[in-house]
Structure formats: structure tokens, C-alpha cells
């Protein structure tokens, strides 16, 4: 009987990444050399090619932006080559719902000979950055990508992460890549044209990371609620910077930046949120859906006796005080057998990473922990509780007793 001889060559490959997030003001002002210096990367002898992608809604809200970009690159033309006029592309979730815009950017990369030492500079909200980041990560197997986030949520959460992607098959971020951006530049001035709804949306990611990582930060958000509701600049800047710092710390120190395991602590509240976005046909913005998802998992944590009732109430009250609704009718959308459709989000959440279902819950403010199963009856009880809470917050109209405006927090 012969022997089968197997030869194996095995090596461990270690790759290090530099993840840099800058905070500045008026990034395209003539006096601000930050962007120039970031793109030159310490080597002023090489003229760098740059393609600029701009969120359409941002360009309409700030009509002086594109002329400012062109003026900036003309000023620094000795070092920077703007290969074409800034490319304006629709933002929002629509830009992620097909491969069309990814292909459009890749076509321009080919046309203007943008190589791996050149840059795709994307300016916009999180959806545009996700899409442009995927185009950058896959053209030439990786063109340098610089993000300039222009919404609160993108500046404190999605824009400082290492994920890129688009939606497919009715699922959030089904097609994507892990590719850390070359740099992230947060310019607080670019938030000034955001509608209140979009300014508020990023708050919930700060609440999320505080709940699983930093009780002191949670308490600061509580104390600063009135300032945040009126979008006071100093409070907003601190929230964005601290939230971004906690996210980057997790990416750099968790030991699993590319999510090879089954756990995603930074996606606390997201298993339901992603499904609610899809069920609402993206009427719910990401931050709004995450607020509902956090509320659901917080109530579930209390019903499971992981967290005390007083802490649960503090969390729900803070979300409401910041302007978020904690219930939407999509939570009760049902399959033909009566099962709530949102529950399919649990399996989709598990499938997205593979392996064992791993959900982050709370055992205290600032203390997240992981479970590997969710009791369906308890989830449905938690949904019912949020529905009841919402109905109690809705005041009857004076005439006719109809339900109407939401009571102020």
C-alpha cells in the first residue's frame, strides 16, 4: 500500500496599514495646505494625479465648492494634477443600489490614466464614499482613496472606517471590500449645508459606540443634549471627534479590522437597522434605522435581564431627546406565516460574515457583550413594547381626538 505525500508551503504574511484621520476647517481654502501635503505624502518631487468625485446634493447646496476645488488645484498645480473637472455623482442610498456608478468611475480611471500612486478624492456623504471607495479599491486592484466626508454620520462613523460597498440582491453592502483609505479629512465647515435630519443622523452612532465602549462619553452626550439638539458647533465638533476616535481605536486594536471572525461590535443595533432600511425602501435614513435598532436591542437586553430598567430608560430617553423615533411600522411588516420580516435580518446579519450568529447586547452603559442566539418571542415582545411606547408619546389632537403630533421630549 503506497503513501500519499503532501507538500505544504506555509508562511504568515503580515501587512501594516496607516490609518490617518485629519480634522480641519476650509480644506479648500488657499491658506490651507493640508490636502496638498497629504497627497504629496512627503515627496514633493512627484506630481500627483487626482480625480475628484463630488456628491451632487452637496454641489447644489454649496455652489461655490466646485470652483473652490478647481482654484485649489490650480494654485498647487506644480504638485497636483487635477485630471478632469470634478465629477458630480448622485449621493444617498440610490448611488449604492447598482454597479453603474462604480463602473463610471473605473472608466474615468482608465481614460485619465489614474494609477495606483494617483488618488481618487471623494467628497460627500457615507453612501457616495462607500461607492467611490469600492471603485478605488478595485481599479488597478487599488488606487489611493482619500475621503472628505460631508455629513455628521460620515465624519464620525462610516467615513473613518475601512469598508467600502454597494447594495445588491436586496441586501445592504452585499458587494464590497475592506480597503483602508489613504486618508480621511473631516472639514466641519462642509456640514453647514446639511439639513437638520442629516446633522442629527450621526448622533446615533456616537450613542452606539458610547454604549458599548465609553460610559463617560455617554454621560457627556446626555449632559450636552440641549446643545446637540440645536446643533451647537462646539458640541457637534467634540461629538464627531470623540466618536471617530473610538471607532478608529476599535479598528486598530480589536485584532480583527477586516472582520474575519463572526463578531461586529461596532454594528450594535444594526442587524435590525439594515433590514428596516431595505423594508422602508430607504425612506428611513441609516441613522434613523440604527436608532430604532439600538432601542430594540436595548429593550431586549432589559427583558433578558442583562441590563437594569433604569439604564434602559436612560438610553431610550436620550435617543428620543436627540430627536429620534424608536418605532416604525416596518418593524411589524409580516411574512405570509405571520413572522415579522425584520427577523430575517438576523440570518442576513449572520450570513454577511458567516460563522456563528454574533449579536452585541448590553450589560450596562458602556459595557457591550456578545450573544449567539436571539429568542424570537422576546424580540417580538420588545417590538410590541416600542410600539406601545410610541403610541403613548403621540398626543390626541384637540379636535376629534385623533392621534397626531409627537409630544416633545
Amino acid at each position: 500500500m503506497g503513501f500519499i505525500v503532501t507538500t505544504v508551503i506555509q508562511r504568515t504574511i503580515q501587512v501594516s496599514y496607516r490609518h490617518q484621520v485629519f480634522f480641519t476647517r476650509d480644506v479648500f481654502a488657499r491658506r490651507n495646505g493640508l490636502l496638498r501635503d497629504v497627497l504629496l505624502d512627503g515627496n514633493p518631487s512627484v506630481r500627483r494625479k487626482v480625480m475628484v468625485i463630488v456628491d451632487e446634493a452637496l454641489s447644489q447646496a454649496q455652489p461655490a465648492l466646485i470652483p473652490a476645488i478647481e482654484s485649489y488645484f490650480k494654485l498647487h498645480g506644480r504638485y497636483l494634477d487635477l485630471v478632469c473637472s470634478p465629477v458630480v455623482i448622485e449621493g444617498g442610498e440610490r448611488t449604492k443600489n447598482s454597479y453603474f456608478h462604480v463602473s463610471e468611475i473605473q472608466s474615468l480611471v482608465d481614460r485619465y490614466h489614474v494609477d495606483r500612486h494617483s488618488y481618487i478624492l471623494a467628497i460627500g456623504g457615507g453612501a457616495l464614499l462607500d461607492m467611490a471607495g469600492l471603485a478605488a479599491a478595485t481599479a488597478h486592484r487599488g488606487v489611493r482613496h482619500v475621503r472628505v466626508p460631508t455629513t455628521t454620520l460620515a465624519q464620525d462613523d462610516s467615513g473613518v472606517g475601512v469598508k467600502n460597498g454597494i447594495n445588491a440582491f436586496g441586501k445592504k453592502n452585499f458587494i464590497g471590500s475592506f480597503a483602508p483609505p489613504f486618508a480621511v479629512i473631516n472639514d466641519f465647515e462642509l456640514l453647514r449645508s446639511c439639513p437638520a435630519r442629516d446633522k442629527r443622523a450621526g448622533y446615533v452612532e456616537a450613542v452606539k459606540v458610547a454604549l458599548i465602549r465609553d460610559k463617560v462619553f455617554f454621560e457627556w452626550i446626555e449632559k450636552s443634549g440641549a446643545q446637540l439638539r440645536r446643533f451647537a458647533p462646539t458640541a457637534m465638533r467634540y461629538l464627531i471627534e470623540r466618536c471617530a476616535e473610538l471607532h478608529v481605536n476599535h479598528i486598530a486594536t480589536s485584532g480583527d479590522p477586516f472582520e474575519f471572525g463572526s463578531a461586529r461590535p461596532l454594528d450594535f443595533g444594526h442587524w435590525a437597522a439594515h433590514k428596516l432600511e431595505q423594508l422602508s425602501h430607504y425612506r428611513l435614513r441609516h441613522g434613523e434605522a440604527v436608532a430604532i435598532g439600538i432601542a430594540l436591542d436595548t429593550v431586549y437586553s432589559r427583558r433578558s435581564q442583562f441590563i437594569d430598567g433604569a439604564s434602559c430608560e436612560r438610553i431610550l430617553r436620550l435617543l428620543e431627546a436627540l430627536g429620534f423615533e424608536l418605532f416604525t411600522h416596518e418593524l411589524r411588516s409580516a411574512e405570509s406565516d405571520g413572522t415579522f420580516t425584520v427577523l430575517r435580518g438576523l440570518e442576513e446579519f449572520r450570513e454577511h460574515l458567516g460563522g456563528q450568529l454574533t449579536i452585541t447586547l448590553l450589560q450596562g452603559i458602556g459595557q457591550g457583550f456578545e450573544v449567539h442566539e436571539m429568542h424570537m418571542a422576546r424580540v417580538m415582545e420588545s417590538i410590541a413594547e416600542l410600539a406601545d411606547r410610541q403610541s403613548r408619546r403621540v398626543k390626541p389632537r384637540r379636535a376629534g381626538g385623533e392621534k397626531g403630533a409627537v409630544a416633545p421630549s
Side-chain angles (χ1 to χ4, degrees), residues 27-305:
V27 64
F28 296 110
R30 295 175 64 88
R31 65 185 182 280
N32 191 337
L34 173 64
L35 177 61
R36 175 202 61 210
D37 294 342
V38 167
L39 298 180
L40 288 177
D41 194 27
N43 187 0
S45 63
V46 178
R47 191 166 181 252
R48 303 291 186 179
K49 288 184 176 182
V50 186
M51 178 189 299
V52 177
I53 312 296
V54 180
D55 191 307
E56 182 178 40
L58 177 69
S59 70
Q60 293 172 349
Q62 299 191 27
L65 177 61
I66 287 180
I69 294 168
E70 293 173 330
S71 177
Y72 188 91
F73 278 90
K74 184 176 181 179
L75 175 68
H76 299 292
R78 176 183 172 187
Y79 306 107
L80 306 176
D81 175 14
L82 184 64
V83 297
C84 61
S85 298
V87 181
V88 178
I89 293 179
E90 67 175 333
E93 207 64 28
R94 275 175 52 89
T95 202
K96 292 179 60 172
N97 282 339
S98 78
Y99 199 80
F100 174 79
H101 292 305
V102 175
S103 181
E104 179 183 5
I105 293 173
Q106 291 170 334
S107 174
L108 294 171
V109 166
D110 176 61
R111 182 187 307 175
Y112 294 106
H113 308 290
V114 173
D115 59 34
R116 299 186 69 191
H117 294 272
S118 304
Y119 295 91
I120 292 176
L121 175 67
I123 307 165
L128 181 90
L129 300 182
D130 276 356
M131 180 277 297
L134 178 60
T138 50
H140 296 305
R141 298 179 182 155
V143 173
R144 293 180 178 185
H145 177 43
V146 175
R147 297 174 180 162
V148 181
T150 61
T151 64
T152 309
L153 194 148
Q155 289 195 0
D156 72 5
D157 180 77
S158 60
V160 301
V162 297
K163 295 184 275 192
N164 311 284
I166 60 172
N167 309 327
F169 310 111
K171 296 175 183 176
K172 183 98 169 175
N173 298 320
F174 186 87
I175 298 172
S177 67
F178 286 95
F182 183 82
V184 180
I185 300 177
N186 276 341
D187 179 357
F188 189 76
E189 290 302 311
L190 290 173
L191 299 180
R192 61 183 170 81
S193 61
C194 277
R197 185 181 182 187
D198 290 332
K199 285 182 180 178
R200 183 183 302 113
Y203 292 172
V204 75
E205 297 288 359
V207 173
K208 173 206 71 180
V209 76
L211 284 173
I212 64 172
R213 287 285 186 266
D214 190 340
K215 182 179 181 180
V216 173
F217 186 35
F218 180 88
E219 292 170 344
W220 177 87
I221 298 171
E222 279 187 312
K223 293 174 184 176
S224 305
Q227 298 175 63
L228 292 169
R229 280 196 302 274
R230 65 173 184 267
F231 308 116
T234 300
M236 284 187 67
R237 277 196 296 268
Y238 178 76
L239 178 140
I240 289 168
E241 290 190 21
R242 180 58 180 157
C243 182
E245 181 182 24
L246 288 168
H247 277 77
V248 173
N249 287 349
H250 174 82
I251 292 166
T253 64
S254 70
D256 190 20
F258 292 170
E259 298 178 357
F260 290 116
S262 298
R264 286 184 286 177
L266 291 182
D267 277 351
F268 170 55
H270 283 54
W271 73 263
H274 287 167
K275 195 64 185 174
L276 291 173
E277 287 181 81
Q278 184 233 327
L279 289 174
S280 73
H281 302 287
Y282 300 97
R283 170 186 58 81
L284 285 173
R285 305 282 175 84
H286 180 68
E288 295 162 349
V290 170
I292 295 168
I294 287 174
L296 178 59
D297 284 350
T298 298
V299 171
Y300 182 93
S301 295
R302 193 208 71 230
R303 285 182 169 269
S304 302
Q305 299 183 342

